[in-house]
């Protein structure tokens, strides 16, 4: 694992740049644990102050210092993405490995369900659930719903690898030695799909964070929980651009772009590393 990271940092500039961008985001999130104000405190500083030595990123019309609000919001937004990605990775791994290894009628049924769910439009379904559940659409419910919609494409990728692994010699030896199906899948096959899991996790993080930002900007999530989308929502609600408080909108947009760009570069560089031809070309072979 460390050798892989060393090779990527040494030979892949995209991975290095992506790592640096994510480190900036993580440093910002670490600052949130030292915030002098509560995440929902308002009118604790002078409102509408521009960026200065006293207020690095300025203050908003709700009397909140944008630096601390940004740090807390980035922590909550990234946590949402991680929860969604973690749950959907578990589902994708189980479905992909089981479907690819067992095959036959089981594979056909699982893939039929997979393709049906994959064809459903995610945003309209989530909006419908928001209108139906209303006050019951809490942060955990939204994360669980997004996770249940975000695994179908990735399970197909994992299944494609599992289909080739089940015909390998080591799989036959494991079955003849008396290993159960679960042991074969998670001891023998899982290590082979981990690069794909890492790559799809980065993509799923981008999708989940983008989903949260979109829903929050529209006011379809818990707007009292500070998130990046929530910051933009409150800025629009207070007509920040019209009032000339441009930093209230500009700051969260810049940092969410940094987050997206960092995750995208990590996903792209890992995808290149998985391809042997691209890896050898990077290393000058």
């Amino acid at each position: 694992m460390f050798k892989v990271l060393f090779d990527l940092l040494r030979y892949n500039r995209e991975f290095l740049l992506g790592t640096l961008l994510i480190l900036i985001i993580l440093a910002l999130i670490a600052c949130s644990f030292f915030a002098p104000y509560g995440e929902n405190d308002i009118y604790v500083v002078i409102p509408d102050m521009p960026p200065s030595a006293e207020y690095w990123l300025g203050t908003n019309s709700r009397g909140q210092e944008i630096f601390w609000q940004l740090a807390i919001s980035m922590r909550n937004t990234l946590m949402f993405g991680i929860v969604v990605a973690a749950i959907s990775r578990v589902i994708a791994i189980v479905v992909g490995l089981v479907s690819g290894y067992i095959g036959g009628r089981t594979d056909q049924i699982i893939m039929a369900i997979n393709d049906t769910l994959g064809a459903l439009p995610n945003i309209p379904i989530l909006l419908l659930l928001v209108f139906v559940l209303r006050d019951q659409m809490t942060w955990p419910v939204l994360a669980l719903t997004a996770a249940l919609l975000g695994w179908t494409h990735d399970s197909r990728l994992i299944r494609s690898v599992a289909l080739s692994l089940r015909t390998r010699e080591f799989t036959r030896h494991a079955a003849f030695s008396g290993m159960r199906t679960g042991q074969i899948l998670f001891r023998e096959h899982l290590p082979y799909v981990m690069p794909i899991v890492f790559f799809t996790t980065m993509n799923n993080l981008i999708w989940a964070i983008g989903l949260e930002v979109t829903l929050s900007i529209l006011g379809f999530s818990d707007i009292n929980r500070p998130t990046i989308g929530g910051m933009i929502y409150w800025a629009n609600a207070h007509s920040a651009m019209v009032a000339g408080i441009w930093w209230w909108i500009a700051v969260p947009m810049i940092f969410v772009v940094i987050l997206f760009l960092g995750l995208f570069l990590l996903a792209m560089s890992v995808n290149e590393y998985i391809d042997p031809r691209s890896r050898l070309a990077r290393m000058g072979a």
Side-chain angles (χ1 to χ4, degrees):
M1 182 64 180
F2 291 106
K3 184 180 184 302
V4 172
L5 291 175
F6 177 77
D7 288 343
L8 285 169
L9 290 171
R10 182 178 180 183
Y11 298 111
N12 196 307
R13 294 181 180 178
E14 288 84 2
F15 186 85
L16 178 60
L17 178 58
T19 301
L20 292 176
L21 293 177
I22 295 301
L23 287 176
I24 292 174
I25 297 298
L26 294 179
L28 177 66
I29 291 173
C31 293
S32 69
F33 296 101
F34 304 97
Y37 318 111
E39 62 179 30
N40 290 317
D41 291 351
I42 58 175
Y43 300 109
V44 292
V45 295
I46 303 173
D48 301 335
M49 296 296 292
S52 63
E54 184 177 2
Y55 304 114
W56 294 350
L57 300 178
T59 66
N60 59 30
S61 299
R62 306 180 76 213
Q64 297 169 316
E65 191 170 350
I66 289 181
F67 174 81
W68 297 114
Q69 194 69 12
L70 175 69
I72 295 170
S73 298
M74 186 63 73
R75 182 187 68 196
N76 292 339
T77 295
L78 187 59
M79 182 59 64
F80 177 87
I82 290 173
V83 170
V84 172
I87 296 174
S88 61
R89 288 321 83 196
V90 172
I91 299 173
I93 290 171
V94 172
V95 171
L97 290 179
V98 170
S99 181
Y101 178 73
I102 296 178
R105 175 79 58 172
T106 302
D107 180 34
Q108 294 176 0
I109 295 174
I110 292 177
M111 284 300 103
I113 298 173
N114 183 92
D115 294 342
T116 301
L117 292 176
L120 298 176
N122 296 332
I123 295 293
I125 290 176
L126 287 170
L127 292 180
L128 178 62
L129 287 174
V130 168
F131 282 115
V132 172
L133 298 177
R134 296 187 180 180
D135 294 338
Q136 297 177 347
M137 180 55 80
T138 59
W139 183 90
V141 174
L142 181 60
L144 180 61
T145 305
L148 294 176
L149 295 172
W151 57 270
T152 52
H153 174 70
D154 304 332
S155 65
R156 268 203 167 275
L157 293 176
I158 295 172
R159 170 183 172 270
S160 65
V161 177
L163 284 172
S164 66
L165 291 175
R166 87 175 166 177
T167 60
R168 298 282 185 89
E169 196 67 28
F170 71 87
T171 301
R172 295 195 185 98
H173 290 167
F176 289 147
S177 67
M179 291 182 68
R180 292 176 294 181
T181 300
Q183 292 176 318
I184 294 175
L185 294 180
F186 294 103
R187 288 186 184 179
E188 303 294 334
H189 289 183
L190 183 59
Y192 287 91
V193 302
M194 287 310 295
I196 294 178
V197 170
F198 183 82
F199 166 68
T200 57
T201 299
M202 296 297 104
N203 287 336
N204 199 252
L205 268 174
I206 295 172
W207 172 80
I209 292 172
L211 185 67
E212 188 280 325
V213 170
T214 301
L215 293 176
S216 295
I217 290 175
L218 296 174
F220 292 139
S221 65
D222 184 5
I223 59 175
N224 293 317
R225 180 182 176 87
T227 62
I228 296 298
M231 288 186 69
I232 300 175
Y233 168 84
W234 285 112
N236 288 329
H238 286 265
S239 303
M241 292 301 294
V242 176
I245 315 171
W246 55 266
W247 54 89
W248 194 356
I249 290 182
V251 168
M253 290 181 65
I254 290 172
F255 276 86
V256 80
V257 168
I258 291 174
L259 176 60
F260 281 158
L261 184 58
L263 292 174
F264 172 75
L265 290 173
L266 290 180
M268 183 179 65
S269 56
V270 170
N271 187 44
E272 284 187 1
Y273 188 86
I274 295 172
D275 183 3
R277 291 172 298 180
S278 299
R279 184 166 69 251
L280 291 174
R282 289 273 184 181
M283 298 173 67

